[in-house]
Amino acid sequence: MDDALQPGLYIVATPIGNLSDLSPRAADILARADLIAVEDSRVTAKLLQHIGARRPMLAYHDHNADRVRPGLIARMAREAVALVSDAGTPLISDPGYKLVRDARAAGIAVTTIPGPSAVIAALTLAGLPTDRFAFFGFLPAKAGAKAAAIAEAASFEGSLVFYESGPRLGATLAALRDGLGEREAAVAREISKRFEETATGTLAELAARYAEAPPKGEIVIVVGPPAAAAAAGEAEVDAALRDALSRLSPSRAAAEVAAQLGLPKRAVYERAQQLK
Ligand code: SAM
């Protein structure tokens, strides 16, 4: 336990709320690292205080990463450098991937200490299919770009996961309802914290629930997969496809109709081939 750590880069996941979720191995690595690259030293100082450790810290965030990275890589050749973010797993909607990329290119040993991440925690709470899911991080803030990103996500035949903040939740749920149609969804808030809450329902129900009263805290939205083509009604699918096929190739027509009706693209494409 007291042996010096081998030089290299250590990716350390930290709690997303409850400090007791810090793993013993994560605590051990943090207590022994020669240097910890942090997003915000005040946040990590509290974590170090929790485990009774004091280690040198260096800020590594979106605004200084390009400038700081080469020096960090050089230090990893002879020292143990840990990377943490303010909460959860580094690199997941947080800085770090370029650090790992450059460390690998420099022949530095990279070790990960897995642990909490809000995307996985929310999937365990939602009660929606988890065999296939796609993670989109934060959607763009502007309405047009947001709708375009949602249209792109619509044809994925699995659950969809988005990070969001309280003030934007209502608008984002409304955009998801408009872009994905009637799907089951969950809003997981303040996971592992005092006011933890998971609300489930259709996108329309959740959009209505949060339209007037934006909740506080950190949020993950999970949306279930598109319903089977039968659910939309074959006549509705055929009518939409006929219209789209008069303007577009079968592949593009299928993508448009699948997004419009919240259906799996593959099934709609097969029907488009039959109709053509
Ligand atoms: N690296 C982190 C991870 O592994 O989950 C994510 C960092 S990202 C900058 C922060 C976002 O993650 C928040 O805006 C929220 O969407 C989500 N998040 C983090 N902690 C959360 C929690 N306790 N409950 C719900 N969502 C959380």
Side-chain angles (χ1 to χ4, degrees), residues 205-245:
E205 287 164 354
L206 291 170
R209 171 176 175 156
Y210 290 111
E212 300 304 328
K216 291 205 169 72
E218 301 195 280
I219 289 156
V220 184
I221 303 169
V222 185
V223 182
E234 278 175 23
E236 189 186 357
V237 176
D238 286 2
L241 267 177
R242 284 207 173 87
D243 170 59
L245 282 167

PDB file of all heavy atoms in Angstrom, residues 205-245:
ATOM      1  N   GLU A 205     -45.733  13.569 -21.286  1.00  0.00           N
ATOM      2  CA  GLU A 205     -46.072  13.742 -19.856  1.00  0.00           C
ATOM      3  C   GLU A 205     -44.947  14.449 -19.103  1.00  0.00           C
ATOM      4  O   GLU A 205     -45.183  15.352 -18.299  1.00  0.00           O
ATOM      5  CB  GLU A 205     -46.328  12.368 -19.215  1.00  0.00           C
ATOM      6  CG  GLU A 205     -47.650  11.741 -19.636  1.00  0.00           C
ATOM      7  CD  GLU A 205     -47.738  10.252 -19.318  1.00  0.00           C
ATOM      8  OE1 GLU A 205     -46.728   9.652 -18.875  1.00  0.00           O
ATOM      9  OE2 GLU A 205     -48.819   9.691 -19.534  1.00  0.00           O
ATOM     10  N   LEU A 206     -43.720  14.034 -19.382  1.00  0.00           N
ATOM     11  CA  LEU A 206     -42.581  14.645 -18.669  1.00  0.00           C
ATOM     12  C   LEU A 206     -42.388  16.104 -19.103  1.00  0.00           C
ATOM     13  O   LEU A 206     -42.077  16.962 -18.278  1.00  0.00           O
ATOM     14  CB  LEU A 206     -41.314  13.825 -18.894  1.00  0.00           C
ATOM     15  CG  LEU A 206     -41.321  12.454 -18.207  1.00  0.00           C
ATOM     16  CD1 LEU A 206     -40.150  11.593 -18.672  1.00  0.00           C
ATOM     17  CD2 LEU A 206     -41.287  12.605 -16.683  1.00  0.00           C
ATOM     18  N   ALA A 207     -42.598  16.362 -20.399  1.00  0.00           N
ATOM     19  CA  ALA A 207     -42.463  17.744 -20.886  1.00  0.00           C
ATOM     20  C   ALA A 207     -43.499  18.628 -20.187  1.00  0.00           C
ATOM     21  O   ALA A 207     -43.192  19.760 -19.776  1.00  0.00           O
ATOM     22  CB  ALA A 207     -42.631  17.794 -22.397  1.00  0.00           C
ATOM     23  N   ALA A 208     -44.718  18.117 -20.033  1.00  0.00           N
ATOM     24  CA  ALA A 208     -45.773  18.900 -19.368  1.00  0.00           C
ATOM     25  C   ALA A 208     -45.423  19.101 -17.891  1.00  0.00           C
ATOM     26  O   ALA A 208     -45.572  20.200 -17.351  1.00  0.00           O
ATOM     27  CB  ALA A 208     -47.113  18.176 -19.501  1.00  0.00           C
ATOM     28  N   ARG A 209     -44.922  18.053 -17.258  1.00  0.00           N
ATOM     29  CA  ARG A 209     -44.606  18.133 -15.832  1.00  0.00           C
ATOM     30  C   ARG A 209     -43.559  19.197 -15.531  1.00  0.00           C
ATOM     31  O   ARG A 209     -43.644  19.910 -14.541  1.00  0.00           O
ATOM     32  CB  ARG A 209     -44.117  16.757 -15.371  1.00  0.00           C
ATOM     33  CG  ARG A 209     -43.555  16.761 -13.966  1.00  0.00           C
ATOM     34  CD  ARG A 209     -43.173  15.372 -13.510  1.00  0.00           C
ATOM     35  NE  ARG A 209     -42.533  15.457 -12.209  1.00  0.00           N
ATOM     36  CZ  ARG A 209     -42.485  14.493 -11.336  1.00  0.00           C
ATOM     37  NH1 ARG A 209     -43.044  13.348 -11.611  1.00  0.00           N
ATOM     38  NH2 ARG A 209     -41.862  14.638 -10.186  1.00  0.00           N
ATOM     39  N   TYR A 210     -42.546  19.296 -16.406  1.00  0.00           N
ATOM     40  CA  TYR A 210     -41.441  20.217 -16.106  1.00  0.00           C
ATOM     41  C   TYR A 210     -41.531  21.538 -16.875  1.00  0.00           C
ATOM     42  O   TYR A 210     -40.640  22.372 -16.763  1.00  0.00           O
ATOM     43  CB  TYR A 210     -40.101  19.537 -16.403  1.00  0.00           C
ATOM     44  CG  TYR A 210     -39.789  18.424 -15.418  1.00  0.00           C
ATOM     45  CD1 TYR A 210     -39.799  17.092 -15.820  1.00  0.00           C
ATOM     46  CD2 TYR A 210     -39.507  18.709 -14.084  1.00  0.00           C
ATOM     47  CE1 TYR A 210     -39.532  16.064 -14.922  1.00  0.00           C
ATOM     48  CE2 TYR A 210     -39.247  17.683 -13.178  1.00  0.00           C
ATOM     49  CZ  TYR A 210     -39.259  16.372 -13.604  1.00  0.00           C
ATOM     50  OH  TYR A 210     -39.000  15.370 -12.703  1.00  0.00           O
ATOM     51  N   ALA A 211     -42.641  21.737 -17.631  1.00  0.00           N
ATOM     52  CA  ALA A 211     -42.739  22.962 -18.448  1.00  0.00           C
ATOM     53  C   ALA A 211     -42.770  24.208 -17.582  1.00  0.00           C
ATOM     54  O   ALA A 211     -42.105  25.211 -17.870  1.00  0.00           O
ATOM     55  CB  ALA A 211     -43.988  22.888 -19.321  1.00  0.00           C
ATOM     56  N   GLU A 212     -43.527  24.158 -16.507  1.00  0.00           N
ATOM     57  CA  GLU A 212     -43.725  25.357 -15.693  1.00  0.00           C
ATOM     58  C   GLU A 212     -42.724  25.469 -14.553  1.00  0.00           C
ATOM     59  O   GLU A 212     -42.381  26.566 -14.132  1.00  0.00           O
ATOM     60  CB  GLU A 212     -45.149  25.352 -15.106  1.00  0.00           C
ATOM     61  CG  GLU A 212     -46.248  25.347 -16.153  1.00  0.00           C
ATOM     62  CD  GLU A 212     -46.121  26.516 -17.122  1.00  0.00           C
ATOM     63  OE1 GLU A 212     -45.652  27.597 -16.717  1.00  0.00           O
ATOM     64  OE2 GLU A 212     -46.476  26.335 -18.308  1.00  0.00           O
ATOM     65  N   ALA A 213     -42.285  24.332 -14.031  1.00  0.00           N
ATOM     66  CA  ALA A 213     -41.456  24.357 -12.824  1.00  0.00           C
ATOM     67  C   ALA A 213     -40.123  23.675 -13.065  1.00  0.00           C
ATOM     68  O   ALA A 213     -39.996  22.464 -12.876  1.00  0.00           O
ATOM     69  CB  ALA A 213     -42.206  23.651 -11.694  1.00  0.00           C
ATOM     70  N   PRO A 214     -39.113  24.432 -13.521  1.00  0.00           N
ATOM     71  CA  PRO A 214     -37.809  23.812 -13.744  1.00  0.00           C
ATOM     72  C   PRO A 214     -37.230  23.309 -12.417  1.00  0.00           C
ATOM     73  O   PRO A 214     -37.239  24.050 -11.429  1.00  0.00           O
ATOM     74  CB  PRO A 214     -36.949  24.947 -14.307  1.00  0.00           C
ATOM     75  CG  PRO A 214     -37.824  26.137 -14.402  1.00  0.00           C
ATOM     76  CD  PRO A 214     -39.122  25.857 -13.719  1.00  0.00           C
ATOM     77  N   PRO A 215     -36.783  22.062 -12.387  1.00  0.00           N
ATOM     78  CA  PRO A 215     -36.258  21.526 -11.134  1.00  0.00           C
ATOM     79  C   PRO A 215     -34.830  22.008 -10.891  1.00  0.00           C
ATOM     80  O   PRO A 215     -34.139  22.440 -11.818  1.00  0.00           O
ATOM     81  CB  PRO A 215     -36.271  20.026 -11.374  1.00  0.00           C
ATOM     82  CG  PRO A 215     -36.069  19.902 -12.841  1.00  0.00           C
ATOM     83  CD  PRO A 215     -36.712  21.096 -13.474  1.00  0.00           C
ATOM     84  N   LYS A 216     -34.391  21.895  -9.666  1.00  0.00           N
ATOM     85  CA  LYS A 216     -33.010  22.242  -9.335  1.00  0.00           C
ATOM     86  C   LYS A 216     -32.124  21.011  -9.505  1.00  0.00           C
ATOM     87  O   LYS A 216     -32.614  19.885  -9.494  1.00  0.00           O
ATOM     88  CB  LYS A 216     -32.923  22.685  -7.872  1.00  0.00           C
ATOM     89  CG  LYS A 216     -33.596  24.006  -7.587  1.00  0.00           C
ATOM     90  CD  LYS A 216     -32.966  24.643  -6.341  1.00  0.00           C
ATOM     91  CE  LYS A 216     -33.400  26.072  -6.163  1.00  0.00           C
ATOM     92  NZ  LYS A 216     -34.802  26.199  -5.739  1.00  0.00           N
ATOM     93  N   GLY A 217     -30.841  21.255  -9.641  1.00  0.00           N
ATOM     94  CA  GLY A 217     -29.889  20.154  -9.557  1.00  0.00           C
ATOM     95  C   GLY A 217     -29.459  19.594 -10.895  1.00  0.00           C
ATOM     96  O   GLY A 217     -29.732  20.143 -11.950  1.00  0.00           O
ATOM     97  N   GLU A 218     -28.748  18.462 -10.802  1.00  0.00           N
ATOM     98  CA  GLU A 218     -28.148  17.837 -11.991  1.00  0.00           C
ATOM     99  C   GLU A 218     -29.076  16.744 -12.517  1.00  0.00           C
ATOM    100  O   GLU A 218     -29.682  16.016 -11.740  1.00  0.00           O
ATOM    101  CB  GLU A 218     -26.796  17.261 -11.616  1.00  0.00           C
ATOM    102  CG  GLU A 218     -25.868  18.337 -11.095  1.00  0.00           C
ATOM    103  CD  GLU A 218     -24.451  17.849 -11.065  1.00  0.00           C
ATOM    104  OE1 GLU A 218     -24.104  17.140 -10.114  1.00  0.00           O
ATOM    105  OE2 GLU A 218     -23.705  18.173 -11.987  1.00  0.00           O
ATOM    106  N   ILE A 219     -29.120  16.633 -13.842  1.00  0.00           N
ATOM    107  CA  ILE A 219     -30.174  15.816 -14.454  1.00  0.00           C
ATOM    108  C   ILE A 219     -29.651  14.944 -15.592  1.00  0.00           C
ATOM    109  O   ILE A 219     -28.808  15.376 -16.384  1.00  0.00           O
ATOM    110  CB  ILE A 219     -31.274  16.751 -15.006  1.00  0.00           C
ATOM    111  CG1 ILE A 219     -32.040  17.358 -13.830  1.00  0.00           C
ATOM    112  CG2 ILE A 219     -32.242  16.030 -15.925  1.00  0.00           C
ATOM    113  CD1 ILE A 219     -32.709  18.639 -14.117  1.00  0.00           C
ATOM    114  N   VAL A 220     -30.188  13.722 -15.662  1.00  0.00           N
ATOM    115  CA  VAL A 220     -29.971  12.864 -16.825  1.00  0.00           C
ATOM    116  C   VAL A 220     -31.340  12.482 -17.382  1.00  0.00           C
ATOM    117  O   VAL A 220     -32.240  12.109 -16.630  1.00  0.00           O
ATOM    118  CB  VAL A 220     -29.197  11.578 -16.466  1.00  0.00           C
ATOM    119  CG1 VAL A 220     -28.913  10.756 -17.721  1.00  0.00           C
ATOM    120  CG2 VAL A 220     -27.893  11.908 -15.747  1.00  0.00           C
ATOM    121  N   ILE A 221     -31.485  12.603 -18.703  1.00  0.00           N
ATOM    122  CA  ILE A 221     -32.720  12.169 -19.374  1.00  0.00           C
ATOM    123  C   ILE A 221     -32.422  10.857 -20.097  1.00  0.00           C
ATOM    124  O   ILE A 221     -31.440  10.767 -20.835  1.00  0.00           O
ATOM    125  CB  ILE A 221     -33.180  13.208 -20.427  1.00  0.00           C
ATOM    126  CG1 ILE A 221     -33.374  14.584 -19.790  1.00  0.00           C
ATOM    127  CG2 ILE A 221     -34.455  12.750 -21.128  1.00  0.00           C
ATOM    128  CD1 ILE A 221     -33.567  15.709 -20.818  1.00  0.00           C
ATOM    129  N   VAL A 222     -33.263   9.862 -19.866  1.00  0.00           N
ATOM    130  CA  VAL A 222     -33.155   8.600 -20.614  1.00  0.00           C
ATOM    131  C   VAL A 222     -34.443   8.436 -21.418  1.00  0.00           C
ATOM    132  O   VAL A 222     -35.539   8.582 -20.865  1.00  0.00           O
ATOM    133  CB  VAL A 222     -32.965   7.387 -19.670  1.00  0.00           C
ATOM    134  CG1 VAL A 222     -32.739   6.114 -20.484  1.00  0.00           C
ATOM    135  CG2 VAL A 222     -31.806   7.613 -18.709  1.00  0.00           C
ATOM    136  N   VAL A 223     -34.308   8.172 -22.709  1.00  0.00           N
ATOM    137  CA  VAL A 223     -35.474   7.990 -23.581  1.00  0.00           C
ATOM    138  C   VAL A 223     -35.446   6.563 -24.109  1.00  0.00           C
ATOM    139  O   VAL A 223     -34.395   6.090 -24.578  1.00  0.00           O
ATOM    140  CB  VAL A 223     -35.440   8.981 -24.769  1.00  0.00           C
ATOM    141  CG1 VAL A 223     -36.688   8.817 -25.641  1.00  0.00           C
ATOM    142  CG2 VAL A 223     -35.333  10.420 -24.270  1.00  0.00           C
ATOM    143  N   GLY A 224     -36.588   5.890 -24.062  1.00  0.00           N
ATOM    144  CA  GLY A 224     -36.658   4.509 -24.531  1.00  0.00           C
ATOM    145  C   GLY A 224     -36.552   4.412 -26.048  1.00  0.00           C
ATOM    146  O   GLY A 224     -36.669   5.408 -26.760  1.00  0.00           O
ATOM    147  N   PRO A 225     -36.335   3.202 -26.552  1.00  0.00           N
ATOM    148  CA  PRO A 225     -36.182   2.977 -28.003  1.00  0.00           C
ATOM    149  C   PRO A 225     -37.469   3.299 -28.753  1.00  0.00           C
ATOM    150  O   PRO A 225     -38.537   3.331 -28.152  1.00  0.00           O
ATOM    151  CB  PRO A 225     -35.878   1.487 -28.109  1.00  0.00           C
ATOM    152  CG  PRO A 225     -35.664   0.992 -26.736  1.00  0.00           C
ATOM    153  CD  PRO A 225     -36.279   1.959 -25.781  1.00  0.00           C
ATOM    154  N   PRO A 226     -37.365   3.474 -30.083  1.00  0.00           N
ATOM    155  CA  PRO A 226     -38.568   3.682 -30.881  1.00  0.00           C
ATOM    156  C   PRO A 226     -39.475   2.464 -30.772  1.00  0.00           C
ATOM    157  O   PRO A 226     -38.986   1.338 -30.655  1.00  0.00           O
ATOM    158  CB  PRO A 226     -38.041   3.826 -32.310  1.00  0.00           C
ATOM    159  CG  PRO A 226     -36.566   3.720 -32.257  1.00  0.00           C
ATOM    160  CD  PRO A 226     -36.128   3.443 -30.867  1.00  0.00           C
ATOM    161  N   ALA A 227     -40.780   2.704 -30.817  1.00  0.00           N
ATOM    162  CA  ALA A 227     -41.731   1.586 -30.735  1.00  0.00           C
ATOM    163  C   ALA A 227     -41.672   0.772 -32.025  1.00  0.00           C
ATOM    164  O   ALA A 227     -41.191   1.254 -33.043  1.00  0.00           O
ATOM    165  CB  ALA A 227     -43.138   2.140 -30.545  1.00  0.00           C
ATOM    166  N   ALA A 228     -42.208  -0.439 -31.982  1.00  0.00           N
ATOM    167  CA  ALA A 228     -42.252  -1.268 -33.192  1.00  0.00           C
ATOM    168  C   ALA A 228     -43.121  -0.586 -34.243  1.00  0.00           C
ATOM    169  O   ALA A 228     -44.065   0.120 -33.911  1.00  0.00           O
ATOM    170  CB  ALA A 228     -42.828  -2.635 -32.853  1.00  0.00           C
ATOM    171  N   ALA A 229     -42.809  -0.815 -35.518  1.00  0.00           N
ATOM    172  CA  ALA A 229     -43.514  -0.132 -36.597  1.00  0.00           C
ATOM    173  C   ALA A 229     -45.034  -0.313 -36.490  1.00  0.00           C
ATOM    174  O   ALA A 229     -45.789   0.598 -36.780  1.00  0.00           O
ATOM    175  CB  ALA A 229     -43.032  -0.642 -37.948  1.00  0.00           C
ATOM    176  N   ALA A 230     -45.457  -1.474 -36.016  1.00  0.00           N
ATOM    177  CA  ALA A 230     -46.886  -1.754 -35.934  1.00  0.00           C
ATOM    178  C   ALA A 230     -47.608  -0.736 -35.062  1.00  0.00           C
ATOM    179  O   ALA A 230     -48.749  -0.366 -35.340  1.00  0.00           O
ATOM    180  CB  ALA A 230     -47.101  -3.142 -35.373  1.00  0.00           C
ATOM    181  N   ALA A 231     -46.930  -0.257 -34.030  1.00  0.00           N
ATOM    182  CA  ALA A 231     -47.582   0.633 -33.079  1.00  0.00           C
ATOM    183  C   ALA A 231     -48.046   1.927 -33.742  1.00  0.00           C
ATOM    184  O   ALA A 231     -49.045   2.518 -33.349  1.00  0.00           O
ATOM    185  CB  ALA A 231     -46.638   0.935 -31.920  1.00  0.00           C
ATOM    186  N   ALA A 232     -47.332   2.387 -34.743  1.00  0.00           N
ATOM    187  CA  ALA A 232     -47.704   3.651 -35.376  1.00  0.00           C
ATOM    188  C   ALA A 232     -48.889   3.469 -36.324  1.00  0.00           C
ATOM    189  O   ALA A 232     -49.532   4.422 -36.695  1.00  0.00           O
ATOM    190  CB  ALA A 232     -46.512   4.216 -36.131  1.00  0.00           C
ATOM    191  N   GLY A 233     -49.152   2.221 -36.679  1.00  0.00           N
ATOM    192  CA  GLY A 233     -50.238   1.989 -37.630  1.00  0.00           C
ATOM    193  C   GLY A 233     -49.672   1.969 -39.039  1.00  0.00           C
ATOM    194  O   GLY A 233     -49.041   2.922 -39.478  1.00  0.00           O
ATOM    195  N   GLU A 234     -49.890   0.841 -39.696  1.00  0.00           N
ATOM    196  CA  GLU A 234     -49.271   0.673 -41.016  1.00  0.00           C
ATOM    197  C   GLU A 234     -49.724   1.728 -42.009  1.00  0.00           C
ATOM    198  O   GLU A 234     -48.948   2.216 -42.827  1.00  0.00           O
ATOM    199  CB  GLU A 234     -49.592  -0.716 -41.560  1.00  0.00           C
ATOM    200  CG  GLU A 234     -48.660  -1.762 -41.001  1.00  0.00           C
ATOM    201  CD  GLU A 234     -49.034  -3.165 -41.447  1.00  0.00           C
ATOM    202  OE1 GLU A 234     -49.709  -3.286 -42.488  1.00  0.00           O
ATOM    203  OE2 GLU A 234     -48.657  -4.107 -40.743  1.00  0.00           O
ATOM    204  N   ALA A 235     -51.008   2.112 -41.926  1.00  0.00           N
ATOM    205  CA  ALA A 235     -51.530   3.084 -42.885  1.00  0.00           C
ATOM    206  C   ALA A 235     -50.801   4.414 -42.732  1.00  0.00           C
ATOM    207  O   ALA A 235     -50.445   5.060 -43.726  1.00  0.00           O
ATOM    208  CB  ALA A 235     -53.031   3.260 -42.664  1.00  0.00           C
ATOM    209  N   GLU A 236     -50.544   4.783 -41.478  1.00  0.00           N
ATOM    210  CA  GLU A 236     -49.857   6.063 -41.230  1.00  0.00           C
ATOM    211  C   GLU A 236     -48.430   6.029 -41.772  1.00  0.00           C
ATOM    212  O   GLU A 236     -47.945   6.971 -42.408  1.00  0.00           O
ATOM    213  CB  GLU A 236     -49.841   6.336 -39.720  1.00  0.00           C
ATOM    214  CG  GLU A 236     -49.353   7.724 -39.381  1.00  0.00           C
ATOM    215  CD  GLU A 236     -49.198   7.929 -37.868  1.00  0.00           C
ATOM    216  OE1 GLU A 236     -49.531   7.003 -37.099  1.00  0.00           O
ATOM    217  OE2 GLU A 236     -48.716   8.989 -37.478  1.00  0.00           O
ATOM    218  N   VAL A 237     -47.756   4.885 -41.550  1.00  0.00           N
ATOM    219  CA  VAL A 237     -46.383   4.728 -42.042  1.00  0.00           C
ATOM    220  C   VAL A 237     -46.378   4.787 -43.564  1.00  0.00           C
ATOM    221  O   VAL A 237     -45.568   5.503 -44.172  1.00  0.00           O
ATOM    222  CB  VAL A 237     -45.785   3.388 -41.553  1.00  0.00           C
ATOM    223  CG1 VAL A 237     -44.397   3.179 -42.157  1.00  0.00           C
ATOM    224  CG2 VAL A 237     -45.721   3.338 -40.042  1.00  0.00           C
ATOM    225  N   ASP A 238     -47.307   4.051 -44.187  1.00  0.00           N
ATOM    226  CA  ASP A 238     -47.341   4.011 -45.655  1.00  0.00           C
ATOM    227  C   ASP A 238     -47.618   5.389 -46.244  1.00  0.00           C
ATOM    228  O   ASP A 238     -46.996   5.792 -47.233  1.00  0.00           O
ATOM    229  CB  ASP A 238     -48.408   3.014 -46.132  1.00  0.00           C
ATOM    230  CG  ASP A 238     -47.936   1.569 -45.933  1.00  0.00           C
ATOM    231  OD1 ASP A 238     -46.819   1.384 -45.404  1.00  0.00           O
ATOM    232  OD2 ASP A 238     -48.681   0.643 -46.301  1.00  0.00           O
ATOM    233  N   ALA A 239     -48.541   6.121 -45.639  1.00  0.00           N
ATOM    234  CA  ALA A 239     -48.874   7.451 -46.172  1.00  0.00           C
ATOM    235  C   ALA A 239     -47.653   8.370 -46.078  1.00  0.00           C
ATOM    236  O   ALA A 239     -47.318   9.078 -47.041  1.00  0.00           O
ATOM    237  CB  ALA A 239     -50.045   8.040 -45.386  1.00  0.00           C
ATOM    238  N   ALA A 240     -46.975   8.327 -44.940  1.00  0.00           N
ATOM    239  CA  ALA A 240     -45.801   9.186 -44.756  1.00  0.00           C
ATOM    240  C   ALA A 240     -44.695   8.772 -45.726  1.00  0.00           C
ATOM    241  O   ALA A 240     -44.001   9.616 -46.313  1.00  0.00           O
ATOM    242  CB  ALA A 240     -45.313   9.098 -43.309  1.00  0.00           C
ATOM    243  N   LEU A 241     -44.562   7.455 -45.924  1.00  0.00           N
ATOM    244  CA  LEU A 241     -43.506   6.969 -46.818  1.00  0.00           C
ATOM    245  C   LEU A 241     -43.789   7.351 -48.270  1.00  0.00           C
ATOM    246  O   LEU A 241     -42.891   7.755 -49.003  1.00  0.00           O
ATOM    247  CB  LEU A 241     -43.392   5.445 -46.705  1.00  0.00           C
ATOM    248  CG  LEU A 241     -42.378   4.918 -45.698  1.00  0.00           C
ATOM    249  CD1 LEU A 241     -42.432   3.398 -45.647  1.00  0.00           C
ATOM    250  CD2 LEU A 241     -40.963   5.377 -46.036  1.00  0.00           C
ATOM    251  N   ARG A 242     -45.034   7.231 -48.672  1.00  0.00           N
ATOM    252  CA  ARG A 242     -45.388   7.569 -50.071  1.00  0.00           C
ATOM    253  C   ARG A 242     -45.042   9.032 -50.343  1.00  0.00           C
ATOM    254  O   ARG A 242     -44.481   9.368 -51.384  1.00  0.00           O
ATOM    255  CB  ARG A 242     -46.873   7.307 -50.335  1.00  0.00           C
ATOM    256  CG  ARG A 242     -47.160   5.826 -50.484  1.00  0.00           C
ATOM    257  CD  ARG A 242     -48.395   5.542 -51.358  1.00  0.00           C
ATOM    258  NE  ARG A 242     -48.492   4.103 -51.568  1.00  0.00           N
ATOM    259  CZ  ARG A 242     -49.114   3.258 -50.748  1.00  0.00           C
ATOM    260  NH1 ARG A 242     -49.717   3.708 -49.679  1.00  0.00           N
ATOM    261  NH2 ARG A 242     -49.115   1.962 -51.008  1.00  0.00           N
ATOM    262  N   ASP A 243     -45.379   9.865 -49.380  1.00  0.00           N
ATOM    263  CA  ASP A 243     -45.065  11.293 -49.550  1.00  0.00           C
ATOM    264  C   ASP A 243     -43.547  11.495 -49.626  1.00  0.00           C
ATOM    265  O   ASP A 243     -43.046  12.165 -50.527  1.00  0.00           O
ATOM    266  CB  ASP A 243     -45.638  12.072 -48.357  1.00  0.00           C
ATOM    267  CG  ASP A 243     -45.141  13.500 -48.360  1.00  0.00           C
ATOM    268  OD1 ASP A 243     -45.392  14.195 -49.353  1.00  0.00           O
ATOM    269  OD2 ASP A 243     -44.466  13.904 -47.384  1.00  0.00           O
ATOM    270  N   ALA A 244     -42.821  10.855 -48.706  1.00  0.00           N
ATOM    271  CA  ALA A 244     -41.359  11.052 -48.668  1.00  0.00           C
ATOM    272  C   ALA A 244     -40.696  10.467 -49.911  1.00  0.00           C
ATOM    273  O   ALA A 244     -39.746  11.043 -50.460  1.00  0.00           O
ATOM    274  CB  ALA A 244     -40.785  10.420 -47.400  1.00  0.00           C
ATOM    275  N   LEU A 245     -41.220   9.309 -50.385  1.00  0.00           N
ATOM    276  CA  LEU A 245     -40.617   8.665 -51.566  1.00  0.00           C
ATOM    277  C   LEU A 245     -40.828   9.480 -52.848  1.00  0.00           C
ATOM    278  O   LEU A 245     -40.086   9.323 -53.815  1.00  0.00           O
ATOM    279  CB  LEU A 245     -41.217   7.257 -51.748  1.00  0.00           C
ATOM    280  CG  LEU A 245     -40.650   6.191 -50.809  1.00  0.00           C
ATOM    281  CD1 LEU A 245     -41.513   4.928 -50.837  1.00  0.00           C
ATOM    282  CD2 LEU A 245     -39.211   5.851 -51.169  1.00  0.00           C
TER     283      LEU A 245
END
